[in-house]
Amino acid sequence: MNFYADNPDLQFHLREGIRWETFVPDWERGFRSDEGPRSLDEAREIYEACLTEVGAYAAREIAPRAREIDEQGVAFRDGEVIQPPALLANIDGLRRMGVLAVALPRETGGSNFPYSVGAGVLELIARACTNTMILYAFYQGPALLILRFGTPEQVERWVKPLAAGAMSGAVAMTEPDAGSDLGAIATSAVPEGTHWRLQGRKQFVTNGCGDVCVVLARSEPGSKGLAGLSLFVVPRKEHGRDNYKVARPERKFVIRGSATCELAFDGACGELLGGRGEGFAEILTFMNEARVAVAIQAVGLGQAAFVAARGYAEKRVQMGRPIARHELVADLLLDMEAEVAALRALVYRCTALQDRLSALERAGGSPAERASFKRELRDRTPLVKWLGAERALWIARTAVQIHGGYGVVQDYDVERHYRNALILPIYEGTSQIQALMSLKDQARWMTEKPWRLVSGSVGVQSPPGDLGEALREMAREYNRALRYALAHGLGPAGLALAAWRPPDRSQLAYALLCAERLAQMLALTRAAEALAAHAHASADRRRVAERYARRALPVVRMQGEIVRSGDRSTLEAIAR
């Protein structure tokens, strides 16, 4: 009954896979704090104790309430959002344990843990209950935004209560007519004395019924696109009255215990957060962290679905033996195991990169070193979100299939896991948005140096032997496909000149058409690379890494062949 103790793969990453010595000393500022650990060993003991405690609570208290939370859902009475009592009981337990703010600094009431430890906590909670993990994230998420860009007074007024669990928060970006196009945001903010007045509507706001909301709004009259946007801290109540209206929460068949609200700002009073007109640049870090958080949620959900499927298959006897010993089911279970392991390896590769980058910024590390980590993290962020969303959905769907008829019966958890997995490719940037982000970055990196047009923008760290050769072949396939997709519209000469003469959209139409195929190719490559990095640690780890690479390489080749087919039928249909 401990979701940390029963998961050797998670334990491996948090005990051996992450090189804590490369960033914890800087993170802890040389272990000089009287309230913090006095050495690296002591810090790791504290992290381990926290993960063990949360793992026990997640298995013992949170998981048994997950079905009840799903059945209770979110209600709306007398103009107020009513969250499931079982959900609030889970949060209250986490508050009493003192783990609502593990990633926040000690001076604000947090634990000052690295991002990787916080990711482990998130994964454990997500495995137990997706709805609880989502609400849990909206204590730290808004607090981190205010901590980064707020004044000392704002940190005192908002961050400390969020860290203590005295209030919860929300972040409002999406609008009914804007969606993923943040440049189309119409919500406006006008200065009035020392405060601002907001006018407009926001949609699909997770925990929009929270006590405080960080809002992205247009502060500069006449501005267009991503310029002229600013962040604002807007309290839910002002002088005991509603500061903005929370409409009835969306009625969803996924994450039914999470309040997804529409907000109406009709002269709402807010405070400027950070620099005026710098809202888009400021929100980017939050967006990227939220995308990694969705991937962490996907790992937890995928682990829950895999464990449920394996447990059922080991007990369900058909034709004289457990179905886990039937070839087709055994094959599915091994694929599920490899998919979860690959996603987890990529997730903790990303969190470790974030930790090292943050530690360098605290310690004043060299700009070149910071730039290297930033690029590597930027390369992987859309990929880990894409992979987590798409593969967790496959894992949950496969868990339903292994359960057969029982898989669609609500008495079994896999039905709920499958429904909740359906949100992963949609929120915090759809899978298609992630693919376009990855394409944009890779195309820029390939064309900025002439020699990359030959060698490609992507390289891999690969071990010797067949596993390493499979990784290198995956990278070669991706580079060939990307080069072809870009040259198909630009031509060889246009491709060579792209760094000096940015192409227009019509020249990139074929590459845009291929964006998700290219994202899948690169996501599989990066996941296989992350798995292979630890294949030497044990025979089991090598077995899983080799299986994943053997299954991923043919998929990468297939998608590469489709890209290089030059099939323009979709573009022709659009033109018609």
Side-chain angles (χ1 to χ4, degrees):
M1 294 293 292
N2 188 312
F3 285 172
Y4 182 61
D6 75 354
N7 192 333
D9 191 48
L10 176 59
Q11 291 177 46
F12 172 83
H13 285 288
L14 292 169
R15 290 175 179 171
E16 303 174 52
I18 295 173
R19 295 177 57 200
W20 302 101
E21 71 279 3
T22 61
F23 58 84
V24 172
D26 286 335
W27 190 274
E28 287 291 347
R29 303 188 187 281
F31 304 107
R32 293 189 295 269
S33 171
D34 292 336
E35 299 177 357
R38 309 303 293 175
S39 68
L40 175 61
D41 288 342
E42 185 180 348
R44 294 186 61 181
E45 288 175 6
I46 294 171
Y47 305 158
E48 183 79 7
C50 174
L51 291 162
T52 301
E53 186 177 359
V54 173
Y57 180 74
R60 185 181 66 249
E61 301 286 344
I62 299 178
R65 297 190 185 112
R67 190 179 304 170
E68 181 183 359
I69 292 169
D70 183 70
E71 292 171 351
Q72 289 173 344
V74 178
F76 192 64
R77 291 196 292 270
D78 300 325
E80 293 291 330
V81 175
I82 310 299
Q83 295 175 307
L87 174 67
L88 298 179
N90 285 341
I91 295 296
D92 186 58
L94 292 165
R95 179 188 59 78
R96 286 185 280 108
M97 291 169 63
V99 296
L100 280 184
V102 293
L104 291 174
R106 291 187 189 91
E107 55 268 27
T108 66
S111 304
N112 201 51
F113 287 173
Y115 187 39
S116 296
V117 182
V121 172
L122 277 178
E123 181 185 336
L124 294 168
I125 298 172
R127 175 180 166 185
C129 175
T130 298
N131 291 296
T132 301
M133 178 264 183
I134 294 169
L135 181 54
Y136 172 88
F138 279 89
Y139 288 85
Q140 289 187 117
L144 283 168
L145 260 177
I146 298 170
L147 180 67
R148 286 190 182 110
F149 306 112
T151 64
E153 182 186 29
Q154 288 172 327
V155 170
E156 187 73 25
R157 189 161 68 254
W158 303 114
V159 175
K160 289 186 176 181
L162 285 164
M167 62 171 60
S168 67
V171 178
M173 294 182 286
T174 304
E175 296 185 4
D177 296 323
S180 298
D181 183 7
L182 294 183
I185 281 178
T187 297
S188 63
V190 177
E192 184 182 277
T194 59
H195 291 76
W196 292 69
R197 294 289 178 182
L198 278 71
Q199 195 80 31
R201 302 179 75 83
K202 295 290 183 179
Q203 192 177 33
F204 300 137
V205 181
T206 301
N207 196 43
C209 56
D211 303 285
V212 62
C213 189
V214 177
V215 183
L216 186 64
R218 194 164 297 282
S219 60
E220 310 309 307
S223 64
K224 295 182 180 180
L226 299 174
L229 299 175
S230 299
L231 290 178
F232 298 89
V233 181
V234 187
R236 172 81 172 83
K237 301 281 186 179
E238 188 77 2
H239 305 302
R241 297 182 178 181
D242 287 345
N243 191 29
Y244 53 85
K245 182 181 178 181
V246 180
R248 179 178 63 83
E250 304 290 349
R251 298 175 63 188
K252 314 181 302 294
F253 73 99
V254 301
I255 51 173
R256 294 198 289 215
S258 176
T260 305
C261 305
E262 182 176 326
L263 309 181
F265 300 92
D266 186 12
C269 183
E271 309 167 10
L272 181 66
L273 176 63
R276 181 169 172 172
E278 298 176 9
F280 179 70
E282 292 167 349
I283 203 73
L284 275 179
T285 300
F286 171 82
M287 291 168 64
N288 287 330
E289 289 175 351
R291 286 161 179 161
V292 175
V294 172
I296 296 166
Q297 177 186 348
V299 177
L301 193 153
Q303 180 72 25
F306 167 57
V307 170
R310 183 180 59 190
Y312 178 84
E314 288 172 350
K315 294 178 181 177
R316 176 67 168 170
V317 175
Q318 292 283 278
M319 303 174 193
R321 56 180 174 172
I323 62 172
R325 292 176 57 199
H326 288 258
E327 290 81 359
L328 291 177
V329 175
D331 196 52
L332 290 173
L333 290 169
L334 287 170
D335 277 349
M336 293 169 79
E337 176 193 36
E339 293 280 359
V340 173
L343 177 56
R344 182 178 288 117
L346 187 55
V347 160
Y348 288 100
R349 175 61 181 162
C350 290
T351 65
L353 283 169
Q354 181 64 62
D355 282 329
R356 295 190 69 177
L357 179 60
S358 297
L360 280 173
E361 290 171 346
R362 292 186 182 197
S366 73
E369 197 173 10
R370 291 203 302 269
S372 175
F373 285 128
K374 281 183 179 178
R375 172 171 169 169
E376 193 174 347
L377 186 59
R378 185 180 177 97
D379 169 277
R380 286 159 176 77
T381 296
L383 302 176
V384 74
K385 203 280 183 181
W386 186 95
L387 188 74
E390 298 297 330
R391 299 319 292 164
L393 185 53
W394 177 86
I395 293 163
R397 164 69 181 85
T398 304
V400 170
Q401 185 69 25
I402 288 173
H403 279 71
Y406 293 111
V408 297
V409 174
Q410 292 185 334
D411 291 341
Y412 288 78
D413 290 337
V414 291
E415 174 269 343
R416 185 180 71 256
H417 296 328
Y418 184 38
R419 279 191 289 108
N420 287 338
L422 288 165
I423 191 61
L424 299 174
I426 297 172
Y427 69 174
E428 300 301 343
T430 66
S431 291
Q432 291 69 41
I433 291 291
Q434 307 310 310
L436 292 171
M437 288 174 57
S438 179
L439 172 65
K440 177 183 175 182
D441 287 339
Q442 296 300 332
R444 186 179 74 253
W445 290 331
M446 176 172 275
T447 57
E448 70 183 5
K449 301 290 185 182
W451 55 266
R452 289 187 187 138
L453 298 176
V454 178
S455 64
S457 65
V458 169
V460 291
Q461 297 175 338
S462 55
D466 292 344
L467 178 57
E469 179 52 36
L471 292 179
R472 292 188 290 273
E473 177 60 19
M474 291 165 75
R476 288 192 291 266
E477 281 286 340
Y478 175 80
N479 287 323
R480 283 195 292 265
L482 176 61
R483 190 162 45 242
Y484 180 94
L486 293 171
H488 196 71
L490 293 169
L495 182 58
L497 293 173
W500 296 275
R501 187 187 303 162
D504 59 42
R505 197 181 191 286
S506 64
Q507 292 175 298
L508 293 175
Y510 187 75
L512 294 171
L513 174 64
C514 298
E516 192 158 11
R517 298 188 189 281
L518 290 164
Q520 181 180 14
M521 295 171 73
L522 189 52
L524 294 177
T525 302
R526 290 305 189 201
E529 177 189 39
L531 264 184
H534 302 297
H536 64 277
S538 70
D540 268 352
R541 301 201 69 80
R542 174 163 288 277
R543 171 186 62 80
V544 173
E546 289 176 345
R547 180 182 180 90
Y548 187 82
R550 283 197 300 267
R551 301 297 172 105
L553 178 56
V555 177
V556 170
R557 284 173 172 158
M558 178 191 73
Q559 296 293 16
E561 288 180 4
I562 295 173
V563 170
R564 294 193 302 275
S565 73
D567 178 14
R568 299 178 61 87
S569 58
T570 299
L571 300 178
E572 292 163 1
I574 292 172
R576 289 196 300 272

